[in-house]
Amino acid sequence: MNQPAPGDRITVVGNVNLDVLVAGAAELPPPGTEQIVPSIVLRPGGSAANTAIVLAQLGRSTVLAGRVGDDGTARLLTEQLDLPGLRLDLVRAEDEPTGVTVAAEAPGRDRSFLSALGAMSELDAESVPAESLSAQFVLLSGYFLLPALRGESARGLLARARRAGARTALDTGWDPAGWSETTRDEVLQLLREVDVFLPNEDELRALHGDDCTDEEAARSIADKTGATVVVKRGALGALVAQPGQEPTAHPAPEVQVCDSTGAGDAFNAGLLHRLADGADLAEAADYAVRVAATVIVRPSHDRAFTPEDVMA
């Protein structure tokens, strides 16, 4: 496996698990019955792992830091994560299971997820080697699925990354507990250690809390925290808000979606990859929506691509 060079690489810290992707599951069958679905696919998952995979496919030297069990699931994951340019800094926890997420998709409805955190529930700042924080960017992803790496622990990790010369990025994901006022305050405080915040539009609205447009919410959070806010908006593309500036929209190409799982993670990878190359935010956001579009037109079992495949 290639060893990433510190000056070039991106480090992704967060949730690493097995994804079980169930297609055509609009609802659970009644108790005691069985339903046949078009496909069930196993693949590496978790937003951190998904982002790291796409970064490696884009040719970016990448480190993935997380915590898995010492079991057959972890062995399957590490085999599938053995990619050129991707180094795994995964703690192997004895007598603990590796996390698993079941994602159900069906035409005409949004995805839904069932997750067992397993070993990643104990991922903390001390689990991340100091050497891994020396990078162009350090992205913390899957925040709400990492209970031991919340609040002050996350702030300390991101502050260490900044002291090591990295720019920091955060993708919290959705709060399963429902975005209480306490949680919103927690995230807003954390954003003071973040250079680039990467919510989707639902997470943006939940964090902001007031009834307003995406543009107003993104601008408000950027001004309040000093973080650049890059909002993932699905078919609408992306919205970029920098402190003190009017937000800018970045439309996505029209595509026939095959599997939307991991679209936001692919976007994160494309954005950080181009920013690490020195691109400005507008160029990076335009590239990121094309990377996400390139991924979601592919089926779950065949997500491999090269930089040349990214949509023009």
Side-chain angles (χ1 to χ4, degrees):
M1 191 179 301
N2 296 341
Q3 295 299 308
D8 182 53
R9 71 184 172 203
I10 292 174
T11 295
V12 186
V13 179
N15 53 331
V16 181
N17 54 260
L18 181 71
D19 268 0
V20 181
L21 305 177
V22 183
E27 58 186 13
L28 290 176
T33 69
E34 185 173 1
Q35 177 182 341
I36 305 300
V37 295
S39 69
I40 298 177
V41 176
L42 305 181
R43 73 179 189 201
S47 60
N50 290 341
T51 302
I53 289 169
V54 176
L55 281 166
Q57 290 176 330
L58 290 171
R60 174 65 54 182
S61 296
T62 307
V63 173
L64 175 61
R67 195 171 187 272
V68 298
D70 190 14
D71 55 10
T73 302
R75 289 188 285 276
L76 174 63
L77 284 177
T78 53
E79 287 176 7
Q80 296 194 20
L81 290 168
D82 186 10
L83 301 172
L86 177 58
R87 192 184 83 206
L88 303 180
D89 282 347
L90 300 179
V91 175
R92 299 288 287 266
E94 293 186 8
D95 301 322
E96 295 183 42
T98 299
V100 176
T101 289
V102 179
E105 285 193 313
R109 66 183 296 274
D110 200 1
R111 296 162 295 160
S112 56
F113 303 91
L114 294 170
S115 294
L117 301 183
M120 67 183 174
S121 66
E122 296 300 324
L123 176 69
D124 57 18
E126 288 68 37
S127 302
V128 182
E131 190 268 342
S132 295
L133 299 180
S134 177
Q136 286 266 14
F137 271 98
V138 172
L139 166 65
L140 175 57
S141 198
Y143 177 75
F144 287 118
L145 300 177
L146 307 169
L149 193 53
R150 287 186 56 173
E152 287 303 314
S153 181
R155 290 186 68 182
L157 178 73
L158 295 172
R160 282 171 51 206
R162 281 180 157 181
R163 289 195 296 271
R167 287 180 284 175
T168 57
L170 174 69
D171 186 341
T172 62
W174 182 257
D175 176 18
W179 293 94
S180 68
E181 183 177 349
T182 299
T183 296
R184 294 199 300 269
D185 289 343
E186 174 188 328
V187 173
L188 290 172
Q189 288 297 319
L190 180 58
L191 287 178
R192 300 185 187 280
E193 294 291 348
V194 171
D195 295 300
V196 182
F197 178 42
L198 296 159
N200 65 29
E201 54 190 343
D202 292 332
E203 294 153 4
L204 174 79
R205 294 169 187 161
L207 175 60
H208 188 263
D210 295 330
D211 186 14
C212 62
T213 66
D214 289 349
E215 289 81 0
E216 291 168 335
R219 172 70 185 271
S220 173
I221 292 171
D223 288 346
K224 183 180 298 185
T225 65
T228 292
V229 180
V230 183
V231 187
K232 294 163 284 190
R233 306 174 78 193
L236 294 178
L239 184 72
V240 175
Q242 299 182 72
Q245 299 183 27
E246 288 301 315
T248 58
H250 302 268
E254 293 186 12
V255 297
Q256 184 66 43
V257 177
C258 182
D259 177 8
S260 62
T261 304
D265 306 320
F267 177 94
N268 293 351
L271 183 90
L272 298 181
H273 175 62
R274 291 299 291 128
L275 289 177
D277 278 341
D280 62 27
L281 269 167
E283 181 186 345
D286 289 339
Y287 182 77
V289 295
R290 299 201 306 272
V291 171
T294 300
V295 167
I296 64 177
V297 299
R298 287 164 161 74
S300 299
H301 64 276
D302 183 17
R303 283 289 181 87
F305 72 96
T306 68
E308 291 73 26
D309 295 324
V310 176
M311 293 183 178

